[in-house]
Amino acid sequence: MEAIFNAIVQANDFVNGIVWGVPLLVLIFVTGIYYTVRLGFFQFAHPVVLFKETVVKAFRKKDDKKTAPGELTSFQAAMTSVAAIVGSGNIAGVATAIVMGGPGALVWMLLAALVGMSTKFAEVTLGIKYRELREDGTTAGGAMYYLAKGLKQKWLGVLFSVLVIPYAFVISAVVDTNSIALALEERWSVPTLATGIVLAALTAVIIFGGLKRIGHVSAVLAPFMGGLYILTGIVIILMNIPAVPAAIATIFQSAFNPAAFTGGAVGSIFVCMRYGIARGIYSNEAGLGTAAMVHSGAQVDHPIEQGLWGAVEVFLDTALVCSVTGLTIVLSGLSDTGLDGSVLTMRAFDKLLPGNVGGIICLAALVLFGFTCLISFYTYAERAAEYLFGSGSKLVIKLVWIVMIVVGSQTTLGFAWDLADTINGLMIIPNLIGLLLLSNEVVKLKKDYFRQVGIGK
C-alpha cells in the first residue's frame, strides 16, 4: 500500500512540475494584465464605485430582485462565493506559501491578485451571460457553460466539469477538513476522526437543504468570520507597529532574493513566484472559473452587476485576509521553525497577542472558514456533476461528499496540498483560454453597464 501511495505522489509531483511551469505563470499574469488594460484599469480607476456598487449597496438596502431570474440574491450569491474562497487557503495556504517559497511569496500572491481582480470579474460576468434559466426558477452556470456555449466547444465544457469534481473534493472536503482537524488536535487534542464525523454531520444538514439554505448560512457567517479575523490581524499589526516596516522590507526583498532570507532553503525567484501565485489562486480562485458556478444563481438583470462582486472578492480575500495572515507570520519570526499550515498561523497569532487569545481567535476563524467552504464548495461538485450526468447525480455527490469529509480528516496534509495545486493548474488552462477568446463580449458588457449607471462620466 505504501509503495502505491509513493508512486501516486511521484506521479503527481511530475505532473505538478509541468503544470506549474513558466508557461502557466506567464498565462496567468498575461490574462490578468490583458483584461486589466482592456477594461480600462477599472479596479484601480474606480475603487470607490466598485465597492459602492457591491458592498455598500448590499448593506444600504434590501438586496431583493424578485423579478430577476435566480435562486439567490446578489449578496447571498457573493457571500456564498466568499465563503468558498475565504477558507483554509487564507490561514493554512498562506503559511505553506511562506514556508515553501519564503516571505517574498506574499508579493507575488498580491500582484497576481491585483490583476486577477479583472480576471474574476470576467469569469462571473460570462457566467451570468451564458447561464441556463429553467422553468422552476433555478439556474445552471459556470465556466463549462461559457466554454461550451460562448466558444461553441462542448468538449472544453466537459473537460472543465470533469476536473471540477476532483478539484472540489480535494480542495475542500479533504484540505479544509484536514486543516480544521489538525488545528483542533494540536490545540485541544481533539481526535481527528471525531472532528471529521462532526463536520460531516453539520455539512449534511446544510447541503441537503439546497442552494438557498447554503446561501442563507453563508450570508450570515461569511461577513462575521471575515470581519473578526481581519480585525484581530489589524490589532496584532498595531501592537507590533515598530516592527512592521522591517517585516514589509523583508517581504519585498525576499520576493527577488529569496535565498538571502531563507538561508538558501528557497533558491530561486521562480520557486517564490510559483508558491505565491499557486496559493493565491487556491485562495481567491481568480482564473479557475469556479466562482461563476455560484454567482450564476444570483438574481440580477445585468451580468456586470454581479461581475463587480468577482473583483471585490479577490481584493477582500487576498489583499486583506491573506495579507493579514502573511504579515503576522513574518512578524512572529516562526516561519523557519519547522511549523507549517494552520498550526504555524495559530502559533504566530498566539505569540503576538497576550494570553493565547490570538490562537483561539485564529482557530475559531479556521473552523468557521473551513466549515463555510465545506458547504459552499459542495455546490461546485454538484453543478459539475449535474452538467455531466444530469440532476439525478445530486444525491450521489451529496453522499460521497459527506464520506470524503471523514476521509479528509485522516489525510496527509502535504500530499493534499500538492494534489490541489496540480488540479488547480489543469483547470486554469482551458478557462483562461476561454476568457481570452471571449474578451470582446466582456468589454462590451462592461461599457454598456457603466454607461447605464453613469460610471466614468
Side-chain angles (χ1 to χ4, degrees):
M1 195 69 179
E2 184 177 352
I4 296 176
F5 179 75
N6 290 335
I8 294 174
V9 171
Q10 290 177 3
N12 181 71
D13 289 343
F14 176 76
V15 176
N16 200 309
I18 296 175
V19 170
W20 282 102
V22 173
L24 181 59
L25 296 181
V26 172
L27 181 61
I28 292 169
F29 269 107
V30 166
T31 303
I33 293 171
Y34 175 73
Y35 262 104
T36 297
V37 173
R38 290 215 61 191
L39 294 171
F41 298 88
F42 79 100
Q43 69 265 49
F44 305 110
H46 305 290
V48 175
V49 172
L50 195 62
F51 279 87
K52 182 180 178 181
E53 290 295 310
T54 54
V55 178
V56 175
K57 181 186 289 186
F59 286 101
R60 186 179 59 216
K61 60 181 180 180
K62 186 178 181 181
D63 186 10
D64 189 6
K65 288 183 172 287
K66 293 182 180 179
T67 60
E71 302 114 296
L72 302 173
T73 65
S74 176
F75 180 69
Q76 287 173 344
M79 289 302 100
T80 302
S81 182
V82 167
I85 64 175
V86 180
S88 60
N90 300 83
I91 295 178
V94 174
T96 60
I98 292 174
V99 171
M100 302 300 293
L106 295 172
V107 173
W108 299 109
M109 184 182 293
L110 183 59
L111 289 176
L114 290 176
V115 296
M117 290 174 68
S118 63
T119 306
K120 196 165 187 180
F121 169 85
E123 292 170 339
V124 176
T125 297
L126 290 171
I128 295 290
K129 177 177 172 58
Y130 287 103
R131 66 181 174 176
E132 292 185 354
L133 307 178
R134 295 167 177 165
E135 293 183 358
D136 61 358
T138 61
T139 61
M144 63 281 275
Y145 287 88
Y146 59 72
L147 289 172
K149 296 167 65 176
L151 290 184
K152 303 188 185 320
Q153 299 293 327
K154 176 76 172 179
W155 69 275
L156 277 179
V158 171
L159 174 62
F160 183 84
S161 299
V162 168
L163 291 171
V164 166
I165 296 175
Y167 162 81
F169 276 100
V170 173
I171 290 290
S172 189
V174 174
V175 172
D176 282 315
T177 302
N178 188 267
S179 297
I180 295 172
L182 290 180
L184 289 172
E185 181 185 46
E186 195 274 342
R187 190 80 188 190
W188 290 319
S189 300
V190 178
T192 56
L193 181 59
T195 298
I197 293 173
V198 171
L199 286 175
L202 292 174
T203 302
V205 172
I206 304 300
I207 66 175
F208 272 96
L211 183 59
K212 287 189 176 181
R213 183 178 296 176
I214 294 172
H216 284 303
V217 174
S218 298
V220 173
L221 290 182
F224 170 74
M225 69 183 183
L228 176 63
Y229 187 78
I230 292 172
L231 179 61
T232 303
I234 291 174
V235 170
I236 289 175
I237 292 170
L238 291 176
M239 289 179 62
N240 297 272
I241 199 69
V244 170
I248 293 176
T250 295
I251 291 170
F252 277 92
Q253 291 170 14
S254 175
F256 303 97
N257 185 18
F261 295 88
T262 62
V266 179
S268 70
I269 296 177
F270 173 75
V271 173
C272 184
M273 290 177 62
R274 177 247 189 274
Y275 280 101
I277 295 173
R279 293 295 187 264
I281 290 176
Y282 168 85
S283 179
N284 60 47
E285 297 184 24
L288 286 177
T290 47
M293 288 186 280
V294 174
H295 282 284
S296 64
Q299 296 169 333
V300 292
D301 297 308
H302 198 289
I304 298 298
E305 189 175 354
Q306 196 66 19
L308 294 172
W309 271 109
V312 171
E313 286 172 14
V314 176
F315 180 83
L316 293 174
D317 174 86
T318 308
L320 291 183
V321 184
C322 286
S323 294
V324 163
T325 301
L327 186 55
T328 300
I329 291 173
V330 175
L331 284 170
S332 73
L334 298 175
S335 59
D336 59 352
T337 59
L339 298 173
D340 198 357
S342 57
V343 175
L344 170 57
T345 305
M346 281 196 304
R347 293 283 182 86
F349 272 66
D350 267 339
K351 181 178 179 180
L352 298 176
L353 277 181
N356 294 330
V357 174
I360 295 174
I361 294 176
C362 181
L363 177 59
L366 178 65
V367 172
L368 286 176
F369 285 173
F371 177 66
T372 52
C373 275
L374 288 174
I375 63 174
S376 54
F377 251 89
Y378 162 76
T379 61
Y380 295 174
E382 180 188 271
R383 297 229 176 201
E386 186 178 13
Y387 181 83
L388 292 171
F389 310 113
S391 59
S393 62
K394 289 184 179 181
L395 178 59
V396 175
I397 291 295
K398 283 183 173 70
L399 295 175
V400 176
W401 187 264
I402 293 167
V403 171
M404 285 303 296
I405 290 175
V406 179
V407 173
S409 67
Q410 307 300 300
T411 305
T412 303
L413 181 62
F415 174 67
W417 280 109
D418 290 341
L419 184 58
D421 282 349
T422 300
I423 301 174
N424 269 357
L426 292 172
M427 288 175 58
I428 288 171
I429 296 171
N431 182 58
L432 292 187
I433 292 173
L435 290 180
L436 289 171
L437 294 176
L438 293 171
S439 61
N440 285 339
E441 297 190 34
V442 178
V443 173
K444 289 178 183 178
L445 287 168
K446 180 253 184 182
K447 289 181 178 178
D448 177 63
Y449 182 77
F450 275 37
R451 182 173 57 253
Q452 287 183 28
V453 299
I455 300 175
K457 290 184 178 180

